[in-house]
Amino acid sequence: MATVEHCLYCFEALSASLEKRSPMSLYQVQTSWDSYPKGLDEDDSEVETSSAAEPGDSEPVSRPTPRHPSVQRIADNRNSSRSSGSSTPASSSSNSLSVESAASTPGSSGSYSPVGLHPRRTSQRGGEITESPLFVTWNTIEPSSQHPRSLRGCIGTFESLPIASGLASYALTSALQDHRFSPISLRELPTLEVSVTLLTDFEPCKDAMDWELGIHGLRISFYARNKRYGACYLPDVAVEQGWDKEETIVSLMRKAGWSGKKEKWTEVGDLKCVRFQGKAESAGWDEYKNWKEWVEKGGEGKN
């Protein structure tokens, strides 16, 4: 699964690029994070006041909120009572894809802490993953807004890449080359949150309903009006938007650029679906900044 270190590394790659400096390596980020004081001695009762705890949970739990209000635009065209994301035609043969998704998967850690509040962070590198398909998502955080998170860029690949080079590349690609948005600027960094999703368990679906909500992401391709369309959603999108399977499929087809009637979705040609899994991790600028300042002051693990 993705880790906090992966997220910090994405911030480091983007920050270094915008500041015209050399970034720390993923190994340097990981070793420094191992030594970084993470507030493990904080009083649990103080932590719990920041978010609601569920019975039986050992950690405070905050309800996940929709992470990409931009996802809402698609469903608004279908149903004014729901919300969804922008429609982006994509070739099924393309390895690099943009995708609206939630940055935190409800099943990934059992809890979500607001940006800047990670009172019990630990290293998550049990079984080190060296290569993986991956997506990097940038969100703008606006706590005072009705929709506190808005998508700022999200691009990934279904090709298995070395984690270090893949994250560095797509951290920049999603921040600077997502055609739906202007490139992220240096002054925007303090308003950002990054999410990393490593993708696993790709399987062809028997049909469009052969997948599970909250477990699988979905990649589809189909023909309509002599044109092939394709798009994908990461595993957390459907659950956070409150969609059932059919609504998810229709929204995904809208995202791909299909404009037919929603009740006609089964009539498109050669509809193919691939399901996959992936657990996301996210981190905000404040967490990156605090860790980075500690490193620059001589924190252990820098070299």
Side-chain angles (χ1 to χ4, degrees):
M1 64 176 290
T3 67
V4 180
E5 297 98 306
H6 292 152
C7 298
L8 298 178
Y9 181 56
C10 288
F11 260 121
E12 174 66 5
L14 178 57
S15 177
S17 175
L18 296 176
E19 294 171 355
K20 310 299 182 184
R21 61 175 175 82
S22 297
M24 294 173 63
S25 68
L26 177 57
Y27 175 77
Q28 289 173 318
V29 172
Q30 290 171 329
T31 54
S32 66
W33 182 256
D34 285 342
S35 302
Y36 177 62
K38 306 175 185 67
L40 299 181
D41 295 329
E42 290 189 19
D43 183 79
D44 285 345
S45 62
E46 293 181 2
V47 172
E48 291 176 2
T49 61
S50 299
S51 56
E54 293 288 343
D57 285 339
S58 59
E59 295 294 328
V61 175
S62 290
R63 297 295 186 185
T65 56
R67 309 287 288 230
H68 293 295
S70 62
V71 175
Q72 297 172 1
R73 291 193 298 271
I74 295 174
D76 284 341
N77 294 330
R78 303 186 294 109
N79 187 332
S80 60
S81 66
R82 297 186 183 269
S83 46
S84 179
S86 66
S87 299
T88 306
S91 169
S92 61
S93 62
S94 173
N95 280 329
S96 295
L97 299 174
S98 60
V99 55
E100 288 87 352
S101 74
S104 176
T105 305
S108 62
S109 62
S111 64
Y112 171 72
S113 298
V115 61
L117 176 62
H118 296 291
R120 301 185 68 81
R121 288 282 205 179
T122 59
S123 176
Q124 301 163 3
R125 289 182 293 133
E128 188 76 26
I129 299 176
T130 58
E131 294 188 358
S132 178
L134 55 89
F135 274 80
V136 177
T137 303
W138 295 98
N139 291 317
T140 298
I141 306 299
E142 301 175 3
S144 60
S145 171
Q146 181 179 359
H147 302 294
R149 285 172 180 80
S150 58
L151 183 65
R152 191 63 181 83
C154 182
I155 297 179
T157 177
F158 288 103
E159 177 185 357
S160 186
L161 297 178
I163 294 297
S165 60
L167 285 178
S169 174
Y170 280 92
L172 298 182
T173 300
S174 60
L176 306 175
Q177 298 180 28
D178 190 326
H179 64 84
R180 298 167 295 178
F181 307 97
S182 60
I184 289 175
S185 65
L186 181 62
R187 63 182 177 81
E188 288 183 80
L189 290 179
T191 70
L192 297 179
E193 176 188 71
V194 68
S195 173
V196 173
T197 308
L198 304 184
L199 311 182
T200 64
D201 301 293
F202 288 84
E203 302 171 305
C205 298
K206 298 176 182 177
D207 54 54
M209 298 296 154
D210 183 28
W211 56 283
E212 296 298 324
L213 288 165
I215 296 178
H216 295 115
L218 203 60
R219 184 182 186 183
I220 68 168
S221 65
F222 59 94
Y223 274 106
R225 297 180 179 177
N226 298 317
K227 180 180 179 181
R228 177 164 285 280
Y229 296 85
C232 69
Y233 276 147
L234 297 184
D236 37 19
V237 173
V239 172
E240 291 195 349
Q241 296 301 320
W243 297 331
D244 60 25
K245 289 185 179 182
E246 184 174 22
E247 289 172 320
T248 302
I249 293 291
V250 173
S251 175
L252 196 47
M253 293 173 70
R254 297 286 191 220
K255 181 189 173 188
W258 181 70
S259 58
K261 295 181 178 180
K262 63 181 181 180
E263 61 271 16
K264 300 285 188 178
W265 72 267
T266 58
E267 299 179 9
V268 299
D270 193 28
L271 176 59
K272 295 180 180 178
C273 303
V274 174
R275 66 189 187 189
F276 57 89
Q277 299 183 44
K279 294 183 178 179
E281 182 60 79
S282 61
W285 170 259
D286 286 346
E287 186 165 21
Y288 166 77
K289 179 182 178 183
N290 292 338
W291 162 79
K292 183 67 173 179
E293 289 177 347
W294 176 83
V295 171
E296 292 175 342
K297 290 178 181 177
E300 297 178 14
K302 183 176 180 180
N303 297 318

